[in-house]
Amino acid sequence: MSRDTFPLCYQGFAVLYSGVSYTPLWSAEHLTEEHVDAASAIRRVNAFHPESKIPDEFRSELSDYTRTGYDRGHMTPSGDEWTREAQQETYTLANMIPQNPDNNRNLWEGIEASIRELAEDEGELYVVTGPVFTKKLHVGRLLVPTMIFKAVYSPSQHKAAAYLVANGPGRAWTQVPIPYLVTLSGVNPFPTLPDEETNNELPLPWPKPHGDRHGIQPGQVSPDNGGIPGEASGKKEEDLQSADLIGSRRSPASTIASGETEAKYGVILLMADIMKKEAKKEFLKLGKSALDYVQKHYQSGASIFHNPTSKE
């Protein structure tokens, strides 16, 4: 697993990329009020590009997304980056997942915008975003997530929580506590935080797509509604290579609502039919260390990440 996993550091964020899924497993950033203010003045320029730091055999390419019906969906959004160089770096395909177009352009846009507003209110946030794979769903070489999460930690409140949505059309989202997200995804976004802080749930703002004044109320989400390509592609869900994973539940009752911690789904990156059995421990070591990795290895003069538990 370590051979197929690539930790990458950029000016404003860090990624753990998988050469198995051809997507990031997580993308982590430290978002501040100053970053948001500076980012708002930068004009967005779409410049998607393959990641040259990844060997050819494991690297996702622009052609992997062509005529698939999926957007190249940012995990760390370009709208969070406060310099033109940092913004351009978010367009690396190492920061992209195959994302349903309706989700990417509406509900997810609203979640990203709400997080920027929260960062302005709080002063700073730690944000970790990533895919959730509950079934083996491929489009070409790409592994398609059925769900997407965005975990948020507020140092001022000493609280954390995560948005969770299906990777499909619609406006359904829910908030889940961090321990539930770890069980669902296999990734601990904040491994250095004490249990009392990860168990202390942060109230997340309702998404406001395109300036929606009232926001979208939380509801129920299901992985059964995720992994769906856009309608314009002409593809149908049954055209994709699909197989349920061990632990997934395909009944109408398989929904996840805020506070409903008993529903558990299989985690694709821990399954033996995707990964070699001997790789599991290595994945757990790498995949559960988003901020820990960044804190130790961020390759910049002044790290944007500090220990969230620090008293400084």
Side-chain angles (χ1 to χ4, degrees):
M1 179 64 179
S2 59
R3 180 178 62 87
D4 299 348
T5 309
F6 304 89
L8 303 167
C9 287
Y10 302 94
Q11 185 179 126
F13 66 105
V15 166
L16 184 66
Y17 175 87
S18 169
V20 174
S21 64
Y22 292 88
T23 70
L25 302 180
W26 49 256
S27 187
E29 58 177 321
H30 179 211
L31 187 61
T32 70
E33 180 182 4
E34 292 77 17
H35 294 166
V36 173
D37 290 343
S40 65
I42 299 175
R43 186 173 66 89
R44 172 173 171 158
V45 178
N46 294 352
F48 295 100
H49 58 275
E51 181 49 68
S52 60
K53 299 174 185 175
I54 299 172
D56 291 354
E57 61 183 307
F58 300 116
R59 183 171 61 221
S60 56
E61 302 288 348
L62 294 171
S63 58
D64 288 320
Y65 287 86
T66 302
R67 293 187 294 276
T68 61
Y70 296 98
D71 279 0
R72 304 177 187 106
H74 283 74
M75 293 292 87
T76 290
S78 64
D80 290 358
E81 301 309 309
W82 62 98
T83 71
R84 189 166 299 281
E85 178 186 1
Q87 186 196 78
Q88 300 258 336
E89 287 182 332
T90 67
Y91 285 88
T92 172
L93 293 185
N95 185 45
M96 303 292 161
I97 63 166
Q99 189 169 4
N100 175 272
D102 178 73
N103 177 278
N104 183 35
R105 303 171 196 181
N106 293 289
L107 175 62
W108 198 250
E109 185 276 336
I111 289 174
E112 292 173 342
S114 295
I115 290 299
R116 285 191 281 271
E117 288 185 9
L118 184 61
E120 290 186 295
D121 292 339
E122 296 286 316
E124 64 171 342
L125 298 171
Y126 290 90
V127 184
V128 180
T129 308
V132 180
F133 303 98
T134 61
K135 58 184 176 180
K136 185 179 178 180
L137 182 64
H138 283 275
V139 57
R141 299 188 305 165
L142 300 173
L143 202 56
V144 181
T146 51
M147 309 186 86
I148 314 168
F149 71 85
K150 187 177 286 289
V152 184
Y153 171 67
S154 167
S156 65
Q157 295 195 48
H158 303 285
K159 295 180 180 181
Y163 292 93
L164 187 65
V165 306
N167 184 20
R171 292 160 62 92
W173 71 279
T174 194
Q175 172 175 327
V176 297
I178 298 303
Y180 176 77
L181 177 66
V182 175
T183 300
L184 175 70
S185 68
V187 173
N188 183 348
F190 308 119
T192 62
L193 291 181
D195 290 345
E196 57 266 27
E197 295 200 18
T198 55
N199 291 328
N200 199 6
E201 198 166 346
L202 175 71
L204 295 174
W206 292 0
K208 297 178 180 178
H210 308 294
D212 182 324
R213 289 188 302 167
H214 303 293
I216 303 170
Q217 295 185 35
Q220 292 186 328
V221 299
S222 170
D224 293 349
N225 298 325
I228 301 170
E231 294 180 3
S233 71
K235 289 183 179 290
K236 299 178 181 178
E237 186 177 7
E238 56 266 29
D239 294 334
L240 303 174
Q241 301 171 35
S242 177
D244 287 345
L245 292 184
I246 298 170
S248 64
R249 301 193 299 187
R250 299 282 295 172
S251 70
S254 298
T255 55
I256 302 170
S258 189
E260 190 176 305
T261 59
E262 67 274 11
K264 294 181 175 66
Y265 296 89
V267 183
I268 197 165
L269 293 171
L270 301 182
M271 306 312 299
D273 64 337
I274 303 299
M275 301 295 184
K276 295 179 181 178
K277 292 181 179 179
E278 60 268 26
K280 292 183 183 179
K281 290 183 180 178
E282 188 67 27
F283 173 76
L284 290 171
K285 183 175 71 177
L286 289 171
K288 288 190 174 185
S289 302
L291 292 185
D292 184 59
Y293 173 83
V294 175
Q295 289 161 8
K296 292 180 180 178
H297 301 287
Y298 190 75
Q299 303 298 314
S300 175
S303 174
I304 59 167
F305 286 84
H306 66 272
N307 190 332
T309 63
S310 172
K311 302 301 182 183
E312 298 178 0

